[in-house]
Amino acid sequence: MNNFALCPLQRGYTPEVANNLLEQELMGGFARQRVQFVNNTHTITASVMLDDGMKQQYFWAFWRSHQSNPRPFLWRLIVDDVEALTYVCQFIAGSLRIDERDGKVYSVSFGLRVKPNNTGKEFDQIIIDAWNEGNPIKLFNLLEKLVNEDLPSALGGL
């Protein structure tokens, strides 16, 4: 699987997080909801700056390669986490646009379907429980003190 090497621009970077629910509005109260899909894809509009000839040549080669043989590729993005993770992506047909042009420098934007990176229900529940207990920063500071101060003291230089 190919890795896309260019970094996305922060402007024009709009993820629409996957929705796995089917919802039916009711006359009053909460809507009726149920899980309709499992691992539905995120959709993203991303942009990259092609500010030199090498980047332009790479982008167009990568794009043409995936137009003649549509297949998933890997790209580091920030979607539903706090840091950039590698996601499996697919270009959305007909979504490529050439945006700002300033002489030989320009940006392109395109749509992507992105497969979610699931961290796991247990990990998510640990985070939720830490917040439900009060101040999670206090809890994590206690763990940091335990690992970095108390444990080395307890081992006594072993």
Side-chain angles (χ1 to χ4, degrees):
M1 195 175 305
N2 290 334
N3 279 301
F4 190 53
L6 300 176
C7 293
L9 296 174
Q10 289 185 356
R11 71 179 191 287
Y13 184 78
T14 53
E16 185 176 313
V17 178
N19 179 18
N20 294 326
L21 298 178
L22 180 65
E23 184 173 272
Q24 179 183 5
E25 293 283 335
L26 301 174
M27 295 291 283
F30 289 125
R32 187 176 297 149
Q33 296 178 332
R34 69 178 171 91
V35 175
Q36 173 74 11
F37 308 103
V38 177
N39 291 332
N40 198 7
T41 58
H42 306 305
T43 54
I44 296 175
T45 300
S47 299
V48 292
M49 180 63 70
L50 305 177
D51 53 6
D52 64 46
M54 289 180 62
K55 287 181 183 177
Q56 293 167 6
Q57 189 177 36
Y58 169 75
F59 174 78
W60 290 112
F62 194 90
W63 177 262
R64 285 189 300 267
S65 170
H66 284 266
Q67 291 298 297
S68 62
N69 180 13
R71 61 200 182 280
F73 60 93
L74 302 173
W75 199 15
R76 290 187 55 78
L77 300 166
I78 299 174
V79 180
D80 59 352
D81 208 321
V82 296
E83 59 188 32
L85 300 174
T86 301
Y87 288 88
V88 177
C89 304
Q90 176 188 52
F91 288 118
I92 295 175
S95 66
L96 179 66
R97 276 192 1 224
I98 297 176
D99 294 327
E100 303 171 11
R101 187 177 279 279
D102 184 13
K104 294 182 180 181
V105 174
Y106 59 96
S107 65
V108 293
S109 62
F110 45 87
L112 297 169
R113 283 185 193 84
V114 178
K115 184 178 177 183
N117 287 339
N118 294 320
T119 56
K121 293 178 182 176
E122 296 82 17
F123 181 71
D124 287 345
Q125 193 58 51
I126 289 170
I127 293 171
I128 293 167
D129 290 344
W131 280 86
N132 285 340
E133 296 295 322
N135 186 353
I137 296 168
K138 182 178 174 183
L139 173 67
F140 293 122
N141 285 343
L142 289 174
L143 290 174
E144 182 180 354
K145 181 182 179 298
L146 175 69
V147 171
N148 294 326
E149 296 174 22
D150 296 341
L151 182 62
S153 297
L155 294 177
L158 288 177

